[in-house]
Amino acid sequence: MRIAMIGGGYVGLVSGACFAEFGLHVAVVETNPDRLSALREGRIPIYEPGLDVLVENNARAGRLTFGDDIAQAVAGAEAVFIAVGTPPRNGDGAADLQYVHAAARQIAQALTGYAVIVTKSTVPVGSSRRIAEIIRATRPDLDFDVASNPEFLREGSAIDDCMRPDRVIIGLDQKQPERARRAEAVMQRVYEPLKKIDAPLVFTGLETAELTKYASNSFLAMKISFINEMADLCEKLGANVQELACGMGMDERIGSRFLNPGPGYGGSCFPKDTLALSRIAQEAQSGCRLVETTVQVNEARKAAMAGRIIAACGGSVNNKTVAVLGLTFKPETDDMRESASIPILHRLAEAGARLQAYDPVGMDAAKPLLPPETTYCENALDAAQGADVLVVLTEWEQFRSISPEALAQRMQNKIIVDLRNIFDPAVMRASGFSYLSVGRP
Ligand code: NAD
Ligand code: UGA
């Protein structure tokens, strides 16, 4: 079976490579010349564990190709996936659909026979029907169907999420049952290999599939904001948020995942998708106060974190050296989009701090976004050299094993602000540190 993937970013590249691994022939179309030449030369333009081997194996087997010629890519394809970006539109938080609509027009011009046009990008409710209108207007003669197939992968564990998803949501135009059946047959074949591992395929209407994506991301964002507020409360009341999360998470109705407090969620999706869902609800004149509040709670949290660091240093970081461990919005990615490190480091720099930062893979992506005077270090211990305070912003696994003695030898003042709770408070205090974490006594 042949499919085409329009867009070779996180979603297009990872899901394209996973479909190829399932045995499909996948033609990825990428218009960014730097990304495309990297992919053609076998270089992976993003950091995602395991992706290099997966891409190399499938490209070598002839199942995965990269190009910018859409007509060549869609020739013989039974499904054409749209996996282009949907960034927030300037000003109002709604998703900017210009890339999706452009892709729809290009697909319409290029197709020569029947195909299902499948939206993988995260798009507002009504977008699949709009895509169908655009295709009909561009090519009134074309026989096609549309489907909505939102992607739920997480950066850092994207391959496993794609190969073993909790569920696959596929929205079809149920108002036209004949068409829906025809499109379903194609989508069943696309996802045939997942049936062997009992991954559920959930068929819904177009609108439900589109909304399920926003609802899922917003719910997870809300869960994180909830535990962050509980962490604040624990600090006030002398309780321990880690034990609280453990106790809550054992209730299967709540679940233990996504209950780690931190400096506020970031990344390319939760911030933009919570804003977009608020906007969708406003336009539908329906209440969405929990999500709107989540957005506000998270923004306030990111802004408040620098204040914690300044307070830990006795009220001023002017002319003090702050060692920063971790810059990316989460570990195992080089993605800096909406990372909490951005507002925190800018605020510290404004307050006169000297910043010495280290991130295992994110420093190149971080440089254009962080204060220009930031010093980038070779490793975590170099960042700690001469520091007045050490701040943990991203919970990279390698930071967990840093020895307190090695830190103590290098730091000028033994203060640690651990915003990801990676160290043991008792061990740190026994090593003479003034140690502050999140929601733990
Ligand atoms: P991205 O910006 O990394 O990648 C999009 C790619 O599409 C870019 O490389 C761009 O050059 C290319 N592109 C744009 N228009 C094109 C066209 N007409 N033809 C060919 N290529 C084109 O974006 P992403 O992170 O992969 O996200 C894509 C969509 O998936 C978004 O809607 C996002 O919300 C959603 N999503 C992202 C993730 C994630 O973890 N990043 C997870 C689930 C869903
Ligand atoms: C998230 C969702 O988890 C994916 O299901 C979804 O497909 C994706 O968005 C998307 O739509 O793009 P991702 O942004 O890669 O994936 O990363 P997450 O692991 O969800 O983390 C998001 C943010 O929440 C990070 O800043 C992380 O540090 C923070 N977080 C996460 C916490 O602060 N606490 C937690 O317990 C979990």
Side-chain angles (χ1 to χ4, degrees):
M1 184 179 198
R2 289 189 179 279
I3 65 167
M5 184 68 67
I6 314 302
Y10 277 91
V11 168
L13 183 56
V14 172
S15 59
C18 290
F19 281 133
E21 183 72 10
F22 292 157
L24 275 59
H25 285 259
V26 184
V28 176
V29 184
E30 175 55 63
T31 42
N32 178 315
D34 294 339
R35 273 200 171 174
L36 180 59
S37 53
L39 290 168
R40 280 179 159 158
E41 289 160 19
R43 286 182 289 117
I44 305 297
I46 52 174
Y47 177 83
E48 182 62 44
L51 188 57
D52 48 357
V53 176
L54 195 71
V55 168
E56 191 192 331
N57 288 348
N58 284 285
R60 198 176 319 117
R63 288 191 300 266
L64 184 64
T65 57
F66 302 102
D68 53 6
D69 184 340
I70 189 161
Q72 205 174 12
V74 303
E78 292 178 68
V80 181
F81 287 80
I82 299 177
V84 302
T86 49
R89 196 165 64 191
N90 279 344
D92 63 1
D96 181 350
L97 293 177
Q98 61 168 308
Y99 306 106
V100 171
H101 292 168
R105 276 189 287 275
Q106 291 156 5
I107 294 165
Q109 282 155 358
L111 275 173
T112 54
Y114 174 80
V116 184
I117 292 135
V118 190
T119 312
K120 247 199 185 308
S121 300
T122 303
V123 290
V125 178
S127 299
S128 299
R129 292 194 190 280
R130 178 78 192 111
I131 288 168
E133 280 168 18
I134 290 172
I135 295 171
R136 263 195 299 276
T138 314
R139 278 284 301 283
D141 61 305
L142 193 67
D143 188 19
F144 71 96
D145 290 309
V146 291
S148 165
N149 176 212
E151 179 52 61
F152 294 95
L153 64 79
R154 287 162 301 168
E155 293 179 18
S157 54
I159 293 170
D160 203 47
D161 289 344
C162 270
M163 302 291 282
R164 278 171 282 280
D166 291 342
R167 79 308 203 184
V168 175
I169 306 285
I170 301 169
L172 302 169
D173 186 358
Q174 291 173 338
K175 289 182 188 155
Q176 304 196 60
E178 277 301 309
R179 291 189 156 278
R181 267 195 290 280
R182 189 166 64 156
E184 177 175 339
V186 172
M187 296 307 286
Q188 290 276 12
R189 284 199 293 122
V190 166
Y191 281 108
E192 188 68 39
L194 288 187
K195 293 183 195 158
K196 295 193 188 103
I197 56 161
D198 289 332
L201 302 192
V202 182
F203 287 92
T204 70
L206 292 170
E207 289 75 13
T208 306
E210 290 164 345
L211 193 54
T212 304
K213 173 65 193 177
Y214 282 111
S216 301
N217 271 4
S218 298
F219 190 86
L220 291 170
M222 201 168 68
K223 196 172 179 187
I224 297 166
S225 287
F226 181 84
I227 202 68
N228 282 338
E229 287 203 318
M230 287 303 110
D232 286 351
L233 193 54
C234 284
E235 285 167 19
K236 294 253 158 62
L237 301 178
N240 183 323
V241 75
Q242 223 156 3
E243 292 166 6
L244 174 128
C246 182
M248 281 175 65
M250 282 175 181
D251 184 330
E252 284 179 11
R253 293 169 303 174
I254 297 172
S256 59
R257 294 160 76 190
F258 276 66
L259 283 178
N260 298 312
Y265 61 77
S268 67
C269 292
F270 285 175
K272 93 171 161 58
D273 292 347
T274 44
L275 275 179
L277 181 58
S278 305
R279 187 76 199 159
I280 290 166
Q282 272 167 22
E283 281 174 7
Q285 297 184 336
S286 186
C288 209
R289 278 184 294 161
L290 290 176
V291 177
E292 285 164 10
T293 305
T294 298
V295 172
Q296 289 160 12
V297 166
N298 195 58
E299 284 308 305
R301 184 163 189 87
K302 284 185 183 176
M305 288 298 116
R308 274 185 189 226
I309 298 161
I310 294 168
C313 294
S316 169
V317 285
N318 193 27
N319 284 324
K320 291 190 176 154
T321 301
V322 180
V324 181
L325 300 193
L327 298 170
T328 51
F329 81 98
K330 63 184 272 188
E332 297 301 334
T333 180
D334 59 353
D335 201 336
M336 280 293 295
R337 288 180 280 184
E338 299 286 335
S339 175
S341 66
I342 301 170
I344 294 172
L345 265 59
H346 278 284
R347 175 80 205 288
L348 292 175
E350 278 158 28
R354 282 186 298 271
L355 301 168
Q356 295 183 170
Y358 171 69
D359 187 282
V361 302
M363 293 197 288
D364 286 343
K367 280 175 191 165
L369 301 169
L370 295 181
E373 56 275 29
T374 305
T375 302
Y376 294 90
C377 302
E378 290 279 307
N379 55 49
L381 291 180
D382 278 0
Q385 193 65 47
D388 292 287
V389 58
L390 179 129
V391 181
V392 180
L393 287 185
T394 318
E395 68 278 33
W396 285 93
E397 206 50 45
Q398 60 172 259
F399 298 156
R400 294 180 195 274
S401 54
I402 295 174
S403 104
E405 292 74 29
L407 286 180
Q409 277 166 14
R410 285 165 178 80
M411 290 176 68
Q412 176 134 328
N413 282 310
K414 290 163 77 175
I415 304 171
I416 294 181
V417 181
D418 177 0
L419 296 179
R420 296 287 188 173
N421 289 353
I422 64 168
F423 296 128
D424 182 336
V427 171
M428 283 300 164
R429 286 193 193 117
S431 305
F433 282 96
S434 156
Y435 175 76
L436 288 166
S437 57
V438 183
R440 301 188 296 181

